[in-house]
Amino acid sequence: MPHDPDPPPAKKFKPGSPFFPTNKKPGMLLPKKGNAPSTVDVQRKQLPIYQAKSQLIDQLRQLHNAVLIGETGSGKTTQIPQYLYEAGIGRQGIIAVTQPRRVAAISLAGRVAEEKRTQLGKLVGYTVRFEDVTSPETKLKFMTDGMLLREAIGDPLLLRYTVVILDEAHERTVHTDVLFGVVKCAQRKRKEQNKIPLKVIVMSATMDVDLFSQYFNKSPVLYLEGRQHPIQIYYTKQPQSDYLHAALVSIFQIHQEAPPSHDILVFMTGQEEIEALARTCRDIAKHLPETCGLMIVIPLYASLPPAQQLRVFQPAPKGCRKVILSTNIAETSITISGIKYVIDTGMVKAKRYNPDSGLEVLAVQRVSKAQAWQRAGRAGREASGSCYRLYTENEFDNLANMTVPEIQRCNLAGVMLQLLALGVPDVLNFDFMSKPSPESMRMAGEQLDLLGAVERKDDQVSLTPLGKKMACFPLEPRFAKTILISPDFSCTEEVLTIISLLSVDSVLYNPPARRDEVLAVRRKFISSEGDHVTLLNIYRAFKKVSGNREWCRENFVNSRNMGLVAEVRAQLRDICIKLGLKLESSLSELANVRRCLAHGMFANAAELQPDGTYVALDTHQTVAIHPSSVLFQAKPAYVVFNELLHTSRCYMRDLCLVDADWLQEAAPEYFRRKIHTAKS
DNA sequence: GAGCACTGC
């Protein structure tokens, strides 16, 4: 270990209160703990929730709304749908259980089908994007919240469903938040119209219970105890100025004192810092005395190739400790067993949205209390554990209670389009659980107006025929618009490819250590027309070799993401066919494609200034070409770009060369005073 | 001349 004059922070830790995630409240439903289960039925009966079964069924039978608080391991998500079904509640229709994530919906459906001893897709099924494993027999349906939202466009009263269970509600994704309003409205209207009632059950891990209960007509809150083990929380005595150093010292403090089978999970903010700390840890571990056990350091973040992500699940060799350095992916998406110690830096990298500038900023910031508890909980899944917080108890007390709901920190154009498609009459006064700012609502309305998606009649906003078609696509409004106008430029096939490429994580793989190789091999795809055309070239080359994996490796193309592009493209193409769009290809005439992009993305245009800088025409802010763009060294007079990202400067990413004429013809009124210098 | 957490339709 490097020489360090300060005592290690772990020595400076002081114990906080032991953490039991659910506050015991009067009237709560108490479980009995069981031993190792043998069969599926026995397992079901040994879940904490089983003891409360009949009481729960009685309550849920009578209630139209209920909020269920239950920790992980309580069995609420798998059992409650079955209890309802077995008790004959909601049998006239389907019981839907929504999840924020695809994998969760799929695996829960699998688990419940197994418990019901039926083939997946019969009584129990799931629906996620690209996969519908249901049949007319399906009564218990697991689905992503985004999927139910999309279904609601065709059926705003959700008449196929008798019960909707909104699970993981505490995560407050945009989709869940919009669904809150949709199910509440459907419930009220069905009552008014004397239709079969809709039961709404909100499930949450912890926190903001009052908000849920208030929103759903002061519905009763039921508490379920889980199988979480106690976790001892430690805080530092002094604030830490360098959380990375504090993490490093804490890791080795634990490593030297704890039994080797006890694994450590460290929550950090991003790839770069994780890889750097991993290297340091490995270096230090090499020079430890032999009395100290071995250590295996495993980085974990989303952009890691799948094979490397799987390493976190492999048990460490005997006598060796696993130290996992992870982003917040390990908070919810990836659950690792055997974690005894959690080290929480208290920091997270998150996107913030500024509605005034339309700018997204990715910044390191403090976690919320809810997030800190979620992180701590990862240490107590199989046995009791410890969580070392690299901040003081006072600092903890000053954290925000919960993370700001996503709906209050994102661009709302898509949400507003969807609400209008749902037939919500007064979007500005939609019954949100947490209202977005009027400013971001106004911005969204303006964006839709510019795209020609909405029209105003006597203060009422409604969708134009174009807007209705835009809402059919699972895309940002401007992307949907670009596809819809592509037949005018006879290039729908190319635009479908480009929009699909922009809708998934990057298909370009850029390992920094092999930078020169990457540049050399990518040269053959590069187009002076910009990044969109370059991406199109790569996709065409990929198709030519039928998606050959070897080709992907040689050309530094991410084959998983390329596969996803093909799926998205097929889905979008289907929608085009349903809408009767003419599918033409412009082949080598790529100016058509650029002209189409100019028409669809004109609000994201920038103009070269005499001094060599760029100005975004929409907001007049100074922007720059991101060095990763193929146009970085070029100085085109006009470009459209895919997004602005504020880091060291305000960068445009994914650029396409366009003519000023095209922008003017796309939105003459809008550009009348905006374009002033010479045309390109 | 930069460097980007995580989901989802």
Side-chain angles (χ1 to χ4, degrees):
Chain A
M1 209 186 294
H3 176 67
D4 176 18
D6 294 327
K11 291 279 189 218
K12 290 194 268 182
F13 279 110
K14 62 172 183 184
S17 52
F19 161 42
F20 293 93
T22 308
N23 295 319
K24 290 192 168 75
K25 304 215 177 176
M28 73 180 282
L29 308 158
L30 286 170
K32 242 190 220 164
K33 304 242 193 261
N35 293 324
S38 48
T39 69
V40 170
D41 278 340
V42 176
Q43 274 181 31
R44 277 191 72 188
K45 289 181 181 162
Q46 288 185 342
L47 280 167
I49 195 175
Y50 183 73
Q51 301 298 317
K53 181 177 174 180
S54 58
Q55 195 185 337
L56 263 173
I57 291 172
D58 287 346
Q59 287 179 293
L60 292 178
R61 194 190 298 279
Q62 288 162 30
L63 295 168
H64 288 296
N65 295 104
V67 177
L68 248 109
I69 307 302
E71 7 177 306
T72 23
S74 64
K76 63 183 190 308
T77 311
T78 55
Q79 301 310 300
I80 289 196
Q82 296 188 67
Y83 292 174
L84 294 173
Y85 177 76
E86 286 159 11
I89 298 171
R91 282 238 181 167
Q92 313 94 308
I94 301 171
I95 298 173
V97 185
T98 70
Q99 294 292 321
R101 280 170 292 280
R102 291 165 50 93
V103 274
I106 296 168
S107 65
L108 285 164
R111 175 70 201 171
V112 172
E114 194 186 325
E115 290 184 6
K116 296 301 294 176
R117 294 197 175 74
T118 95
Q119 198 189 330
L120 193 58
K122 301 283 190 186
L123 175 70
V124 184
Y126 67 86
T127 306
V128 298
R129 191 183 187 183
F130 305 129
E131 263 189 286
D132 181 13
V133 187
T134 63
S135 62
E137 294 165 58
T138 303
K139 293 287 182 186
L140 300 179
K141 179 166 159 184
F142 290 83
M143 61 206 301
T144 45
D145 44 19
M147 209 64 216
L148 184 59
L149 203 52
R150 204 134 269 288
E151 279 190 18
I153 292 179
D155 175 19
L157 296 188
L158 299 167
L159 288 167
R160 304 169 63 196
Y161 302 97
T162 44
V163 182
V164 172
I165 300 173
L166 301 166
D167 198 15
E168 310 283 7
H170 59 280
E171 291 193 26
R172 305 292 305 273
T173 67
V174 184
H175 289 154
T176 316
D177 263 34
V178 177
L179 270 180
F180 287 147
V182 170
V183 294
K184 187 178 175 182
C185 174
Q187 194 176 38
R188 179 174 47 80
K189 284 199 176 151
R190 277 162 66 160
K191 198 175 175 184
E192 284 166 8
Q193 297 173 17
N194 273 323
K195 296 212 157 75
I196 299 169
L198 178 66
K199 202 184 280 297
V200 177
I201 301 172
V202 176
M203 290 186 179
S204 170
T206 39
M207 314 293 281
D208 37 341
V209 188
D210 294 339
L211 198 60
F212 293 137
S213 169
Q214 281 294 328
Y215 182 78
F216 285 105
N217 318 308
K218 300 203 165 70
S219 63
V221 180
L222 312 176
Y223 292 86
L224 294 167
E225 191 178 303
R227 219 177 240 162
Q228 183 86 42
H229 299 86
I231 293 161
Q232 185 68 48
I233 306 287
Y234 297 94
Y235 296 94
T236 58
K237 287 175 191 159
Q238 297 297 325
Q240 301 295 305
S241 56
D242 181 349
Y243 67 84
L244 289 175
H245 181 252
L248 182 70
V249 179
S250 303
I251 290 168
F252 282 95
Q253 184 82 46
I254 295 168
H255 183 55
Q256 281 167 334
E257 290 170 6
S261 61
H262 291 178
D263 295 338
I264 306 174
L265 172 62
V266 189
F267 282 102
M268 305 177 50
T269 70
Q271 170 175 354
E272 205 176 3
E273 124 190 332
I274 285 172
E275 292 292 356
L277 192 68
R279 274 193 302 274
T280 313
C281 285
R282 289 180 192 126
D283 278 353
I284 294 172
K286 263 189 259 170
H287 299 104
L288 285 177
E290 283 188 12
T291 51
C292 209
L294 295 171
M295 170 190 286
I296 174 166
V297 184
I298 306 170
L300 179 64
Y301 43 87
S303 63
L304 216 54
Q308 289 199 50
Q309 282 192 1
L310 291 176
R311 289 181 58 210
V312 300
F313 299 114
Q314 292 164 4
K318 207 168 172 2
C320 183
R321 181 192 321 282
K322 238 178 5 177
V323 176
I324 297 157
L325 309 182
S326 174
T327 60
N328 43 346
I329 193 171
E331 264 172 36
T332 48
S333 301
I334 293 180
T335 300
I336 308 151
S337 57
I339 299 297
K340 190 79 175 172
Y341 297 96
V342 161
I343 297 175
D344 177 14
T345 59
M347 306 304 277
V348 65
K349 199 178 286 182
K351 224 168 214 171
R352 273 187 284 197
Y353 176 71
N354 179 348
D356 298 322
S357 62
L359 207 63
E360 289 182 327
V361 183
L362 198 59
V364 173
Q365 47 201 297
R366 292 200 170 269
V367 296
S368 64
K369 285 195 185 103
Q371 233 174 333
W373 288 123
Q374 178 72 26
R375 289 179 171 190
R378 296 315 220 177
R381 296 189 59 84
E382 291 97 11
S384 60
S386 305
C387 174
Y388 289 87
R389 291 184 171 156
L390 303 180
Y391 40 91
T392 64
E393 191 161 12
N394 186 43
E395 284 176 300
F396 174 79
D397 289 336
N398 288 326
L399 294 177
N401 279 329
M402 53 178 235
T403 312
V404 177
E406 197 185 356
I407 199 146
Q408 291 180 334
R409 50 187 174 89
C410 71
N411 182 325
L412 292 176
V415 169
M416 194 179 272
L417 184 71
Q418 214 152 18
L419 288 175
L420 288 164
L422 278 160
V424 173
D426 187 3
V427 181
L428 292 176
N429 291 311
F430 182 71
D431 186 9
F432 285 109
M433 183 179 291
S434 305
K435 278 208 186 304
S437 73
E439 179 55 19
S440 54
M441 290 295 276
R442 196 184 57 76
M443 280 279 288
E446 271 177 26
Q447 286 170 23
L448 291 181
D449 191 35
L450 266 177
L451 291 168
V454 291
E455 57 194 351
R456 266 170 244 268
K457 274 184 202 143
D458 325 313
D459 233 28
Q460 272 289 70
V461 184
S462 62
L463 287 183
T464 59
L466 175 69
K468 282 188 185 133
K469 287 183 187 166
M470 282 166 63
C472 296
F473 289 91
L475 292 172
E476 284 177 50
R478 61 199 168 103
F479 287 164
K481 162 89 183 255
T482 309
I483 290 175
L484 283 164
I485 57 171
S486 64
D488 297 346
F489 307 93
S490 312
C491 60
T492 304
E493 296 286 5
E494 285 75 20
V495 168
L496 279 172
T497 303
I498 288 170
I499 298 298
S500 305
L501 283 157
L502 295 179
S503 307
V504 304
D505 285 339
S506 177
V507 297
L508 307 178
Y509 177 52
N510 296 316
R514 303 174 70 183
R515 193 169 157 270
D516 293 340
E517 275 177 87
V518 174
L519 286 177
V521 89
R522 203 157 282 161
R523 198 165 295 145
K524 58 180 175 285
F525 304 117
I526 287 179
S527 161
S528 56
E529 296 172 276
D531 299 298
H532 298 79
V533 176
T534 301
L535 284 170
L536 181 64
N537 288 340
I538 293 174
Y539 183 83
R540 283 175 168 175
F542 171 83
K543 275 289 170 201
K544 218 172 185 172
V545 297
S546 323
N548 182 304
R549 294 285 283 272
E550 190 55 37
W551 180 91
C552 287
R553 233 192 323 275
E554 284 167 11
N555 288 283
F556 296 99
V557 165
N558 182 323
S559 61
R560 174 181 49 171
N561 289 347
M562 257 312 187
L564 203 56
V565 170
E567 277 192 296
V568 172
R569 191 183 187 284
Q571 185 193 21
L572 300 180
R573 200 167 184 277
D574 276 350
I575 296 169
C576 288
I577 291 168
K578 285 202 187 93
L579 292 175
L581 258 63
K582 209 153 104 198
L583 295 168
E584 287 180 294
S585 176
S586 75
L587 296 171
S588 56
E589 255 312 291
L590 293 180
N592 284 345
V593 175
R594 290 191 293 117
R595 195 164 155 209
C596 179
L597 290 173
H599 275 246
M601 320 262 249
F602 65 84
N604 285 0
E607 180 185 62
L608 180 66
Q609 302 301 299
D611 65 358
T613 63
Y614 281 86
V615 161
L617 292 172
D618 188 46
T619 55
H620 293 291
Q621 61 188 327
T622 302
V623 294
I625 299 179
H626 194 276
S628 67
S629 170
V630 299
L631 293 180
F632 179 63
Q633 273 154 4
K635 288 270 180 204
Y638 290 92
V639 292
V640 291
F641 54 87
N642 189 32
E643 62 172 355
L644 280 181
L645 188 78
H646 194 101
T647 52
S648 59
R649 300 165 76 180
C650 193
Y651 283 111
M652 302 180 274
R653 299 183 57 194
D654 295 317
L655 283 75
C656 179
L657 180 84
V658 297
D659 282 2
D661 287 348
W662 299 343
L663 295 173
Q664 299 235 342
E665 71 191 16
E669 206 47 52
Y670 174 81
F671 280 113
R672 185 139 296 147
R673 284 188 308 275
K674 290 192 191 267
I675 293 181
H676 35 79
T677 53
K679 289 175 185 174
S680 59

